[in-house]
Amino acid sequence: MVGAAAQSWTCFLHALLLSVVSCAETRESPCPKPEDLEMPVLWCYLRHPASNIRCEWRPQKKLPLSSQATLVVQKGFESSPVTKSCSYVSSAQKFNCRLEHREGDGEKYIVSLCVTSRTDRKISNVTVTDGNRLLQPDPPMNVTVTPMERAPRRLTVSWRYPSSWSRSYYTLRFQIQYRAENSRELSMGLTLSTSYLIEDAWMGRKHLVLVRAQEEYQHGSWSAWSSEARGTPWAEPYLPESRPTQASSEYDPDLYENSLSHEEYSPSTAADGEVPSQPLVSSSVPRYPLFIAGFCLGLGLCLFMGMAARHRGRWWRRIVAGGKFKSLFLPHTEGGRTEPLSSETLLMTPCPSPTGDKTSMYAAATGGHVSTGPNP
């Protein structure tokens, strides 16, 4: 019984000790565990075909002060690997490594990055590459967008070569990307020059322009995009309306007409230098009443001609129906003298008799006078 009780107390004390230790581990300990290193991600590039290869790594979290980085390089598949020390740039918070490279060298490089601390060590993935594949220029510099005068749909984009690229032998080609502000429609362009003309810009809209570079014969990859540049096409300047002053020598018909509407010019008073005691009657006639009067006159004339055309056939039939058409135009004798028939008499001629009496019809037409001349 005593042994069993002692064993129970031992188990209880052991469990209590484990719980205390576990609670202590959850709190901040004066002796922390060694910090694990971050897996490095290596990135290598070549800014110019005649420059050296650079490799770098940007840690995502803070590293121990004792951390170091070493570049492991093997040139070709038959050579032995060598190490190159890397430096830490505190301003950029990255490790920077330099690898010697000869211009035009197409040899393969097998590279990796080894990072060590006092308690841990990590190595990056192994990369197999060459100078042509690593070539990546820096972005173009000083990109500007300028409007063209009197061209509301054109913009001129200009830039400079990156400072890290020498133009002594190698040249670059450039890609332009632009769009109007608040628009998702992108437009692209390619050129070997350091300027580009945009000919399909939106009138009155601000445009956003980016430029990037690549080796002329497409060796390597494109550079990163340049800083964004903005510009708006040329627009017609607004000029407020201005009326000519009295000192203007140009003839203004409105001004001349307004001056005549107040006072009529008199040569006699102008010659004598006298000013009339009261304003003279204006001789100018307003243009709008004249226009209305002319319009009404033309409308009346058109109505009259229409009515005449409508009744012309009726009058013609009335005249011809009596069979004495020629006699209407013959002169008749009244009081010993011959007089032609007037147009009023012809218009007032009554309708022919239903009996068909030609003599009575002619007598009515001539006012009761019958011509003694020979019949036609």
Side-chain angles (χ1 to χ4, degrees), residues 106-182:
E107 194 71 35
K108 297 291 183 181
Y109 292 93
I110 305 170
V111 294
S112 61
L113 185 67
C114 178
V115 182
T116 60
S117 66
R118 292 179 181 178
T119 58
D120 200 1
R121 180 184 66 178
K122 293 290 176 63
I123 189 168
S124 69
N125 57 317
V126 179
T127 303
V128 180
T129 185
D130 55 56
N132 289 334
R133 295 178 59 185
L134 294 176
L135 183 60
Q136 184 183 29
D138 282 323
M141 302 171 54
N142 301 339
V143 181
T144 58
V145 183
T146 308
M148 293 188 63
E149 187 175 0
R150 301 189 181 278
R153 297 204 61 189
R154 292 188 175 185
L155 288 170
T156 301
V157 185
S158 58
W159 57 88
R160 291 177 53 193
Y161 265 64
S163 57
S164 59
W165 190 276
S166 175
R167 300 183 61 180
S168 58
Y169 181 75
Y170 300 96
T171 57
L172 294 172
R173 67 172 187 158
F174 301 93
Q175 186 178 45
I176 298 90
Q177 174 183 287
Y178 58 95
R179 64 179 178 88
E181 193 175 32
N182 300 326

Side-chain angles (χ1 to χ4, degrees), residues 43-109:
W43 176 47
C44 299
Y45 55 86
L46 183 65
R47 295 307 189 206
H48 188 271
S51 63
N52 291 324
I53 298 175
R54 292 187 176 274
C55 298
E56 61 182 39
W57 171 50
R58 296 177 182 268
Q60 300 298 317
K61 60 182 182 179
K62 188 176 181 180
L63 297 176
L65 296 179
S66 60
S67 301
Q68 295 181 356
T70 304
L71 187 67
V72 181
V73 183
Q74 181 179 346
K75 188 174 181 181
F77 295 98
E78 298 180 357
S79 61
S80 300
V82 295
T83 58
K84 302 283 184 180
S85 60
C86 303
S87 59
Y88 182 75
V89 183
S90 57
S91 59
Q93 296 184 357
K94 67 177 181 179
F95 284 96
N96 194 357
C97 317
R98 188 180 66 174
L99 177 61
E100 295 181 358
H101 171 71
R102 291 185 305 171
E103 182 179 359
D105 188 3
E107 194 71 35
K108 297 291 183 181
Y109 292 93

Side-chain angles (χ1 to χ4, degrees), residues 66-349:
S66 60
S67 301
Q68 295 181 356
T70 304
L71 187 67
V72 181
V73 183
Q74 181 179 346
K75 188 174 181 181
F77 295 98
E78 298 180 357
S79 61
S80 300
V82 295
T83 58
K84 302 283 184 180
S85 60
C86 303
S87 59
Y88 182 75
V89 183
S90 57
S91 59
Q93 296 184 357
K94 67 177 181 179
F95 284 96
N96 194 357
C97 317
R98 188 180 66 174
L99 177 61
E100 295 181 358
H101 171 71
R102 291 185 305 171
E103 182 179 359
D105 188 3
E107 194 71 35
K108 297 291 183 181
Y109 292 93
I110 305 170
V111 294
S112 61
L113 185 67
C114 178
V115 182
T116 60
S117 66
R118 292 179 181 178
T119 58
D120 200 1
R121 180 184 66 178
K122 293 290 176 63
I123 189 168
S124 69
N125 57 317
V126 179
T127 303
V128 180
T129 185
D130 55 56
N132 289 334
R133 295 178 59 185
L134 294 176
L135 183 60
Q136 184 183 29
D138 282 323
M141 302 171 54
N142 301 339
V143 181
T144 58
V145 183
T146 308
M148 293 188 63
E149 187 175 0
R150 301 189 181 278
R153 297 204 61 189
R154 292 188 175 185
L155 288 170
T156 301
V157 185
S158 58
W159 57 88
R160 291 177 53 193
Y161 265 64
S163 57
S164 59
W165 190 276
S166 175
R167 300 183 61 180
S168 58
Y169 181 75
Y170 300 96
T171 57
L172 294 172
R173 67 172 187 158
F174 301 93
Q175 186 178 45
I176 298 90
Q177 174 183 287
Y178 58 95
R179 64 179 178 88
E181 193 175 32
N182 300 326
S183 174
R184 296 182 179 180
E185 183 179 355
L186 293 175
S187 299
M188 310 290 288
L190 283 172
T191 181
L192 294 176
S193 176
T194 54
S195 63
Y196 184 82
L197 178 61
I198 298 176
E199 300 183 279
D200 57 349
W202 292 19
M203 294 186 294
R205 296 282 298 275
K206 183 180 293 184
H207 287 68
L208 314 178
V209 183
L210 298 172
V211 185
R212 63 179 182 175
Q214 187 186 30
E215 198 272 334
E216 178 184 5
Y217 298 103
Q218 305 181 29
H219 294 157
S221 58
W222 285 100
S223 71
W225 289 105
S226 66
S227 301
E228 187 178 72
R230 302 189 176 193
T232 305
W234 176 88
E236 184 74 28
Y238 173 76
L239 297 177
E241 296 183 0
S242 59
R243 297 186 64 87
T245 60
Q246 295 181 355
S248 177
S249 60
E250 297 182 358
Y251 171 72
D252 189 351
D254 295 334
L255 184 62
Y256 180 72
E257 184 179 12
N258 293 335
S259 64
L260 290 179
S261 62
H262 294 286
E263 184 176 7
E264 183 181 18
Y265 175 78
S266 175
S268 60
T269 57
D272 298 338
E274 298 178 358
V275 179
S277 58
Q278 59 182 1
L280 299 178
V281 179
S282 175
S283 63
S284 61
V285 181
R287 290 176 293 180
Y288 293 104
L290 284 177
F291 175 78
I292 295 174
F295 177 80
C296 294
L297 181 60
L299 181 60
L301 182 60
C302 292
L303 291 175
F304 175 78
M305 295 179 63
M307 293 177 64
R310 180 179 180 183
H311 296 285
R312 181 177 58 183
R314 184 183 302 174
W315 295 339
W316 180 266
R317 288 193 300 271
R318 289 181 181 178
I319 295 173
V320 178
K324 297 294 184 178
F325 174 74
K326 292 184 179 181
S327 62
L328 295 177
F329 299 94
L330 294 177
H332 68 279
T333 305
E334 182 178 1
R337 62 188 181 90
T338 304
E339 294 182 357
L341 296 179
S342 64
S343 60
E344 183 179 1
T345 304
L346 292 175
L347 292 175
M348 298 300 295
T349 302

